[in-house]
Amino acid sequence: QLVESGGGLVQAGGSLRLSCAASGRTFSRYTMGWFRQAPGNEREFVAAISWSAGSKYYADSVKGRFTISRDNAKNTQYLQMNSLKPEDTAVYYCAADPRASTVGMVVAGYDYWGQGTQVTVSS
């Protein structure tokens, strides 16, 4: 089970930190990712991190503003979001891929999903 937290309403230029706590199994060997979905849009890739945190990938739209990290001892991953823009408004989902050899950027590559947390950025 994956549970996201940390979403909310913030003004443009502000920051939020999302957390994703895993339970029921150990995700320390899983690739972890963040996706988001705005109303009327498909779910899109935001960021992903390998099990060792040695590899990190970002969507071009968030590169330089968002930082993905993880704490395997706590079975938790994070998404630090800075310089937020109104176009970042979406439901953000945490995801896990048990295939540790890959760091995917597509929805189909992830087997486990959280329920999502709303992020709203006002202009």
Side-chain angles (χ1 to χ4, degrees), residues 36-39 44 86-92 117-121:
R36 66 187 182 187
Q37 187 168 17
E44 65 176 9
E87 51 263 45
D88 294 318
T89 295
V91 176
Y92 282 71
T117 185
Q118 177 70 47
V119 171
T120 303
V121 184

Side-chain angles (χ1 to χ4, degrees), residues 101-121:
S101 60
T102 62
V103 182
M105 293 179 274
V106 296
V107 170
Y110 289 80
D111 292 355
Y112 303 96
W113 292 85
Q115 83 289 347
T117 185
Q118 177 70 47
V119 171
T120 303
V121 184

